[in-house]
Structures are given as structure tokens and as C-alpha cells.
């Protein structure tokens, strides 16, 4: 028997196929049973009519509990009123396993309960839609770089030095030596870019964040690109092209999922190139105009980012931040050493920073000085300094936080729904 995915049922109208899945819901009258089946790709209604399938099979169908595993065979027909737009007239059925009483029912549950049952929560249509969109975004990002001749160069997870400051490092015991879980692949990206030109890495990164917010995870995925001979402007152009590319892909491929999430897609469709750009100094002016008591030199908090981005209906680049609040490797602006050639991309609708990036210091002496100023151990960075000793060139790169991007494109309140198993403060089960 031919098996089919629910999302592809439109290709099988009038045919007999088997769908392999789980019972999402079931209701029965004396003569007819409706099974809502999910298979990970969508929902489908199966109709079991006693007169057609006989007493025995009908009795089996009535036994089905929520989340029982089942293979259902039948004829596919169009049914606009039915979930997913198709229905199956069931002719045969095989129970693979009958589920015990399922903890997640169709009534509302508190978020703590759902988080404790994340391994089951991901089966619900809403969560599954988010995870499918996440997958599409990851594929789109990889395609984007592949089409532009970038080399995928994976960065290590275990590192001997900090990239993004020492306050949120996860320390590990590397057989007696101190090691850290990577906060960013950037430093290795820079080495790989000097070897391969244009590269990216895509992997998990770790930050021992000590605060609970709706934007922070302790383990998150970052796609990080690094390009030799790119300045800050070329860097921002690549980023906006990438974001635009991903949006078009999600709009084209994830209509059903966006629908399930009730995402206002008009807001995404309205985003055009190029994205607006504003300096940190001008952004501070916007905050003051909005009545905020903000001092030049301070870092933006989430509410500040929301105020700034509310002036635009596309993502906005905020560039040239104060040197003092940015990482040690950022290149100072030759026109004003108080600011660096870095840029963050703030998503619209209050989703905050989704990309951090910039141009890197390419001068050996200045980089050595910065490492000292930031009280970082120079021995651990000797290899990184070598990149400035042997054929140093202007270069730039960036890192996109995958989960924040998923939250924005899906229109989610909280980052915990953007990854199958989120790692949050004091939460690592399951
Ligand atoms: O701005 P960040 O710290 O930049 C870097 O790590 C650079 N070294 C990247 C580079 O240039 N190669 O982090 C980049 C992005 C942020 O814009 C944000 O989207 C995401 O990573 N991010 C987090 N996402 C979820 N939870 C956290 N705790 C995050 N911290 C950063
Ligand atoms: Mg940042």
C-alpha cells in the first residue's frame, strides 16, 4: 500500500493511500467515528463508517485513545470544511500501539506544565508549526551561503578562551585544563576566512545567562559568517540580503504553518530592501525624543530596542556603538575612535537584536592593546594574533541568533517555543 504524508494529500485525491501517524482527537457516534490524525506534516480527518468497515474494525477505531499510534488506509477526497482541506474515507486500519491516558489534553495547560512535558508538547500543531518553520529557516540560510560560494567551516564547541566577555562563560574541566563552551565561533571564523575567503559556521553556542527573559537561552544556535576584504557596509548589505532571502522562503514554503500560528504575514511581505540604517548616536536621540532618560554610552535594553525599531517597519541596523560597550575585537571608526564599526540588526515588532556583527581590528598592536585592556590572557589569543601577523586584511562578519529570528518570523511571545528543547535558567529537564 502506498503511504503518503498528510501535507501531500492533495496529490492523492481519489486514490487509496495509507497515512501513518497518531490520534490527535477522536469522536464517535453509534455508526460513524471521526479520527483526527497527525503525522508531523499536518492534520487529517479520517472517517470510519461502521456499515462500510464492519463491526470488528469499527470497534477497534472506537478504542483509539489520544496519541495512539495508528496506520490508516482509505480513499482521499477533497473536503474544504475538514481540517487540512482533505478527508479520508477509511477502509482499513492498524493500531500500532494504544496510548495510555495522555497528560496534555485539549484544554488549556499552564506553561510550566507544558515546559515539563516539552517532549510531548512538541506534538501539538502549534509547536510543530514553529519547528517546521525553524527547519525551513535553517535550510534557507544554508542555501543562501551555498549559492554565494561561502564555505561551511565548522567552529569548535570547546574553546580555551572567551569571545564575548567573561561574565557568562560555561566552564568545563578539560582533563585538568580549564575550557569553555563556545559563546561564538567568530575567532575561528576569522582564521577560516583567511584560509578560505568567505565562510560561515552554524552551530550551538552557550552563554551562562543569569537572568530570565523572553529573549535569552543558555544554549542557542547561531549562524556566523566571516568575509575577508569586507568592510562594515559590505557586511550590512550581505546581512540584509540574507534576511530578505529567508523571509521570502518562509512566506513561500510555510503558508500553512504561518496560518496555524495566525502570523500577520502582511508585516513580513512589506519588508523591502535596503533596510534602514541609523547610528547609535542618532538612535540615542530617538530615545530622548520618546522621553527616555538615556545617557550616551549606555547599552540599550530591550525596551530601548523596541522604541528604536518602532520607527521603522523593516529591520534596522544600528551602527557605530560606543567602543566601551562592545567586544575587544571591534575596529574603531577611523573618523571617531569613541565608536566602533559594529552594527546590530534590530528586528521589527519589538523582537530586538537578531544580529550582532562588524568589522574586526586588523592591526596587531591595537589588538594586543585591546586584549590587555579587557584583561584577557594574551597567551590564549596568540594564535588569533597570528592572523594579524601573517597577511592581515580588513575583514568583517556577523552572527545571527536563530531562535530570535524564529520568534520574530513566527510572531512568538517567548523564545522557549523556538527550539525543540530550550535551555533556560534553572530549566534543563527534559
Ligand atoms: O551579539 P552577539 O553576542 O555577537 C557575537 O557573538 C559575535 N561574535 C557574532 C559574530 O560577529 N560572529 O550574538 C549574536 C546574536 C545576537 O544578535 C542574538 O540574536 C543572539 O546571537 N544571541 C542570543 N540568542 C538567544 N539567547 C541568548 N542568550 C543570546 N545571546 C545572543
Ligand atoms: Mg550583540
Amino acid at each position: 500500500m502506498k503511504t503518503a504524508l498528510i501535507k501531500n494529500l492533495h496529490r492523492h485525491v481519489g486514490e487509496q493511500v495509507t497515512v501513518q501517524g497518531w490520534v490527535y482527537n477522536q469522536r464517535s457516534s453509534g455508526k460513524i467515528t471521526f479520527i483526527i490524525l497527525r503525522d508531523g506534516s499536518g492534520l487529517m480527518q479520517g472517517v470510519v463508517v461502521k456499515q462500510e468497515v464492519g463491526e470488528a474494525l469499527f470497534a477497534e477505531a472506537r478504542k483509539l485513545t489520544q496519541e495512539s499510534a495508528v496506520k490508516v488506509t482509505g480513499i482521499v477526497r477533497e473536503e474544504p470544511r475538514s481540517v487540512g482541506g482533505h478527508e479520508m474515507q477509511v477502509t482499513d486500519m492498524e493500531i500500532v500501539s494504544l496510548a495510555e491516558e495522555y497528560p496534555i489534553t485539549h484544554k488549556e495547560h499552564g506553561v510550566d506544565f507544558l515546559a515539563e512535558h516539552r517532549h510531548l508538547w512538541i506534538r501539538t500543531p502549534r509547536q510543530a508549526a514553529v519547528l517546521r518553520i525553524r527547519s525551513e529557516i535553517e535550510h534557507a540560510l544554508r542555501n543562501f551561503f551555498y549559492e554565494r560560494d561561502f564555505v561551511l567551516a565548522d567552529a569548535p564547541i570547546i574553546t580555551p578562551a572567551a569571545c564575548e566577555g567573561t561574565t557568562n562563560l560555561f566552564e568545563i574541566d578539560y582533563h585538568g585544563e580549564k575550557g569553555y563552551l563556545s559563546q561564538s565561533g567568530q575567532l575561528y571564523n576569522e582564521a577560516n576566512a583567511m584560509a578560505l575567503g568567505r565562510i560561515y559556521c552554524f552551530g550551538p553556542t552557550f552563554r551562562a545567562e543569569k537572568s530570565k527573559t523572553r529573549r535569552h537561552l543558555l544554549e542557542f544556535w547561531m549562524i556566523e559568517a566571516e568575509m575577508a576584504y569586507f568592510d562594515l557596509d559590505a557586511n550590512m548589505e550581505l546581512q540584509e540580503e540574507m534576511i530578505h532571502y529567508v523571509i521570502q522562503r518562509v512566506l513561500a514554503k510555510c503558508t500553512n504553518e504561518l496560518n496555524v500560528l495566525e502570523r500577520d504575514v502582511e508585516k513580513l511581505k512589506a519588508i523591502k530592501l535596503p533596510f534602514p540604517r541609523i547610528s547609535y548616536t542618532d538612535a540615542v536621540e530617538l530615545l530622548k525624543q520618546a522621553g527616555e532618560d538615556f545617557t550616551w554610552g549606555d547599552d540599550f535594553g530591550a525596551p530601548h530596542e523596541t522604541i528604536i525599531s518602532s520607527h521603522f517597519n523593516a529591520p534596522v541596523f544600528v551602527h557605530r556603538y560606543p567602543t566601551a560597550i562592545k567586544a575587544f575585537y571591534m575596529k574603531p571608526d577611523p573618523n571617531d575612535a569613541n565608536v566602533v564599526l559594529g552594527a546590530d540588526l534590530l528586528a521589527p515588532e519589538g523582537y530586538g537584536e537578531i544580529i550582532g556583527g562588524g568589522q574586526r581590528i586588523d592591526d596587531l598592536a591595537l589588538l594586543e592593546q585591546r586584549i590587555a585592556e579587557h584583561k584577557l590572557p594574551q597567551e590564549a589569543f596568540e594564535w588569533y594574533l597570528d592572523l594579524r601577523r601573517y597577511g592581515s586584511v580588513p575583514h568583517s562578519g556577523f552572527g545571527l541568533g536563530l531562535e530570535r529570528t524564529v520568534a520574530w518570523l513566527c510572531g512568538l511571545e517567548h523564545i522557549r517555543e523556538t527550539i525543540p528543547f530550550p535551555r533556560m535558567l534553572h530549566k534543563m529537564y527534559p
Side-chain angles (χ1 to χ4, degrees), residues 150 186 189-190 193 199 223-232 234-236 238-239 329-330 341-344 355-360 394-400:
F150 278 66
Q186 180 193 319
N189 279 357
E190 291 182 52
I199 64 96
I223 191 157
E224 297 182 83
E226 196 71 30
M227 297 74 67
Y229 293 104
F230 265 49
D231 62 10
L232 176 65
N235 193 16
M236 289 192 284
L238 181 73
Q239 292 170 43
Y329 51 71
M330 294 241 184
L341 298 176
D344 286 354
I355 296 182
Q359 193 167 337
R360 325 302 190 186
H395 62 287
S396 301
F398 65 87
L400 167 86

Side-chain angles (χ1 to χ4, degrees), residues 86-374:
H86 292 85
E87 208 169 66
M88 177 185 277
Q89 188 71 34
V90 176
T91 54
D92 202 4
M93 190 192 81
E94 179 196 332
I95 298 179
V96 179
S97 75
L98 216 47
E100 293 177 25
E101 193 179 336
Y102 195 61
I104 302 182
T105 59
H106 294 287
K107 62 171 209 275
E108 292 270 316
H109 291 283
V111 72
D112 287 337
F113 177 85
L114 291 170
E116 282 274 303
H117 293 83
R118 183 64 180 164
H119 52 298
L120 303 178
W121 188 19
I122 51 180
R123 300 182 184 193
T124 56
R126 200 185 136 78
Q127 298 305 313
V130 172
L131 296 182
R132 279 198 294 270
I133 292 175
R134 177 190 169 100
S135 163
E136 194 62 46
I137 293 171
E138 292 199 47
H139 281 289
L141 287 165
R142 289 184 188 280
N143 289 352
F144 176 84
F145 286 113
Y146 186 75
E147 287 168 12
R148 281 159 188 76
D149 282 324
F150 278 66
V151 178
L152 169 57
D154 300 311
I157 301 293
I158 300 174
T159 62
C163 177
E164 296 298 325
T166 49
T167 55
N168 61 11
L169 277 173
F170 272 115
E171 202 177 297
I172 58 161
D173 174 8
Y174 196 69
H175 289 315
E177 241 183 289
K178 236 186 225 177
Y180 309 99
L181 295 181
S182 175
Q183 300 164 304
S184 161
Q186 180 193 319
L187 306 184
Y188 298 93
N189 279 357
E190 291 182 52
N192 286 328
M194 297 307 133
L196 299 157
R198 294 176 190 184
I199 64 96
Y200 76 99
C201 69
F202 197 176
T205 46
F206 307 86
R207 302 204 185 167
E209 309 282 3
K210 282 163 198 92
S211 57
K212 238 190 205 163
T213 82
R214 55 197 186 87
R215 290 181 183 172
H216 288 87
L217 294 168
L218 278 65
E219 176 181 304
F220 62 99
W221 283 64
M222 189 156 42
I223 191 157
E224 297 182 83
E226 196 71 30
M227 297 74 67
Y229 293 104
F230 265 49
D231 62 10
L232 176 65
D233 286 335
N235 193 16
M236 289 192 284
E237 273 164 39
L238 181 73
Q239 292 170 43
E240 65 190 0
E241 224 187 292
M242 173 187 80
I243 296 292
H244 190 257
Y245 180 98
V246 170
I247 294 172
Q248 302 320 306
R249 248 298 263 283
V250 168
L251 287 172
K253 292 274 195 177
C254 303
T255 322
N256 289 339
E257 287 78 10
L258 292 166
N259 235 336
V260 168
L261 299 173
E262 296 172 36
R263 178 67 167 106
D264 179 358
V265 289
E266 295 311 317
K267 291 215 170 78
L268 299 178
K269 285 183 184 162
I271 293 172
K272 301 273 166 1
L273 291 172
F275 295 170
R277 291 150 166 68
I278 181 175
S279 69
Y280 167 90
T281 302
D282 288 344
V284 169
E285 282 312 307
L286 286 185
L287 292 178
K288 287 184 175 159
Q289 281 163 26
E292 288 291 309
D293 179 20
F294 191 93
T295 318
W296 194 99
D298 288 348
D299 208 353
F300 298 140
H304 302 126
E305 292 179 349
T306 302
I307 295 172
I308 297 163
S309 64
S310 71
H311 286 81
F312 309 94
N313 43 24
V316 55
F317 287 107
V318 180
H319 55 80
R320 293 179 171 78
Y321 282 81
T323 309
I325 56 169
K326 285 294 184 189
F328 74 96
Y329 51 71
M330 294 241 184
K331 187 179 171 77
D333 185 345
N335 300 316
D336 178 3
N338 293 316
V339 297
V340 286
L341 298 176
D344 286 354
L345 186 66
L346 309 185
E349 302 175 62
Y351 281 94
E353 179 197 331
I354 52 170
I355 296 182
Q359 193 167 337
R360 325 302 190 186
I361 293 175
D362 46 48
D363 179 75
L364 177 63
L366 180 59
L367 190 54
E368 282 174 334
Q369 185 191 323
R370 285 282 196 268
I371 288 173
E373 283 167 5
H374 284 253

